[in-house]
Amino acid sequence: MEPTQWLGVEIRHLAALEAVAREGSFGRAAERLGYTQSAISQQIATLERIAGTKLFERPGGPRRVSLTEAGALLLRHAETIVARLRAAEADIASLLQGEGGTLRVGTYQSVGAKILPTLMRRFRERWPHVEIRLTEDASDEGLIKLVERGELDVSFAMLPVLEGPFEAIELLSDPYVVLVAAGSPLAARRSVRMADLEGVHLIGNRVCRTTALAESALRMRGVAAEVTFRSDDNGTVQGLVAAGVGVALVPLLAVEASDERVVVLGLDPPIPPRVIQMVWHRDRYRSPAAVAFVEVAQQVCAELAGGAERTAA
């Protein structure tokens, strides 16, 4: 096969490949993309002719079509190419909008409760014509993927950032604390030793990397703590701790400190804190509004960190 044959690949061929792989059906892929089923079949046939191999197994009848090994390989490249095209579309839209338009921001629960209210108020004072559209996810991994596809302009994320075309700036170091019920024997202490968590019932998050990092740190130090319940809602975690169901090892930002039913304790020795960052696509155009949003986030987080230090002192 001549290498120049690959120059015949068009974006619509790759979009069809992606849609059929996701839908498992030529008909549903056609509906999703707004084509006829025969048009999708022709696009896949063209792509198979260029690739010189079959990309889908077609069992016939109501059964789903599935990717061949070659199809799965090509799909990984197709997803990247289609994502970059969508990012380019978003870039042009941002450029044409100037100081107006929409800024799409990814966030998760603890950031939304403690950082975003002040951040959004200050940003709107400076950029009143920019609409902020928030996307919240229990896991920052999902948000980072949206940044890669051009569906978010910036997103809060935790260190380490997933591998990919990203740039990030550190905003805040968020220490882990132990949350116990006010009536717990541990509540009278200023801090909890690692050994005190041996065999203790833990309440944790389900999909957030926060809990995974904390539990990994415990295991590395030889502490076998049993997680008895998981929830992606910080309020539920804190409520279960208040009821005496267990204790929680969580970042300080995830705690509602005014809740008198619980006591916040330090961990001795401490484990590495959760590092919150702002992430964006390094190859995409960053609008002035996106740059300003990151700058305001840095200011707000610096003030928040300073307040936490004064409280601890």
Side-chain angles (χ1 to χ4, degrees):
M1 180 185 4
E2 293 295 330
T4 52
Q5 285 188 240
W6 283 91
L7 297 179
V9 175
E10 300 178 14
I11 296 295
R12 62 193 179 99
H13 300 150
L14 301 178
L17 175 72
E18 186 181 43
V20 174
R22 183 171 300 182
E23 300 294 338
S25 160
F26 282 69
R28 288 193 295 272
E31 292 176 4
R32 179 180 165 196
L33 295 178
Y35 290 122
T36 63
Q37 182 170 337
S38 62
I40 293 293
S41 297
Q42 290 171 11
Q43 289 165 15
I44 297 300
T46 299
L47 199 54
E48 289 180 326
R49 185 169 59 254
I50 292 172
T53 185
K54 186 165 60 173
L55 301 176
F56 287 99
E57 298 290 352
R58 301 166 173 82
R63 289 179 294 176
R64 291 174 60 91
V65 299
S66 60
L67 289 163
T68 63
E69 184 178 1
L73 178 63
L74 184 56
L75 177 64
R76 290 198 293 271
H77 295 284
E79 288 174 334
T80 300
I81 293 169
V82 173
R84 292 302 297 269
L85 182 66
R86 290 170 181 159
E89 179 184 10
D91 284 350
I92 294 298
S94 296
L95 181 64
L96 296 178
Q97 287 166 353
E99 295 187 1
T102 301
L103 181 64
R104 301 159 306 164
V105 179
T107 185
Y108 43 89
Q109 197 173 169
S110 56
V111 166
K114 301 294 179 65
I115 298 175
L116 267 182
T118 302
L119 170 55
M120 290 185 64
R121 175 178 57 79
R122 291 189 186 177
F123 180 81
R124 281 177 169 169
E125 289 172 355
R126 303 179 192 183
W127 296 79
H129 302 298
V130 174
E131 176 191 355
I132 299 177
R133 186 176 301 162
L134 297 176
T135 297
E136 187 175 70
D137 199 312
S139 168
D140 66 338
E141 295 179 353
L143 297 171
I144 292 173
K145 291 296 184 183
L146 294 179
V147 171
E148 183 175 13
R149 296 203 298 265
E151 296 178 33
L152 289 177
D153 300 302
V154 294
S155 180
F156 290 93
M158 290 184 293
L159 190 71
V161 174
L162 301 180
E163 184 178 350
F166 308 115
E167 287 188 7
I169 190 166
E170 183 175 329
L171 297 177
L172 184 68
S173 182
D174 190 18
Y176 282 93
V177 297
V178 179
L179 198 62
V180 302
S184 166
L186 297 173
R189 306 183 185 184
R190 291 181 58 87
S191 62
V192 174
R193 297 174 302 168
M194 282 284 190
D196 295 329
L197 297 178
E198 181 73 36
V200 166
H201 295 302
L202 281 183
I203 311 297
N205 292 102
R206 186 167 57 240
V207 299
C208 181
R209 285 199 288 163
T210 294
T211 293
L213 292 172
E215 292 173 11
S216 175
L218 289 180
R219 288 193 298 270
M220 289 178 63
R221 300 189 184 189
V223 178
E226 180 185 357
V227 181
T228 58
F229 188 84
R230 296 185 185 275
S231 172
D232 290 329
D233 182 78
N234 292 338
T236 299
V237 171
Q238 186 155 328
L240 290 170
V241 171
V245 176
V247 305
L249 180 58
V250 293
L252 184 58
L253 274 186
V255 177
E256 179 48 64
S258 63
D259 187 350
E260 297 181 353
R261 303 173 302 163
V262 298
V263 174
V264 179
L265 305 173
L267 187 62
D268 183 25
I271 62 177
R274 175 178 72 160
V275 178
I276 297 176
Q277 300 188 318
M278 187 76 80
V279 177
W280 58 89
H281 198 300
R282 67 166 175 257
D283 298 326
R284 284 194 54 204
Y285 167 77
R286 281 211 296 158
S287 69
V291 174
F293 188 85
V294 175
E295 292 174 349
V296 177
Q298 289 179 277
Q299 296 167 6
V300 171
C301 288
E303 294 170 9
L304 189 62
E309 290 175 1
R310 288 192 295 273
T311 300

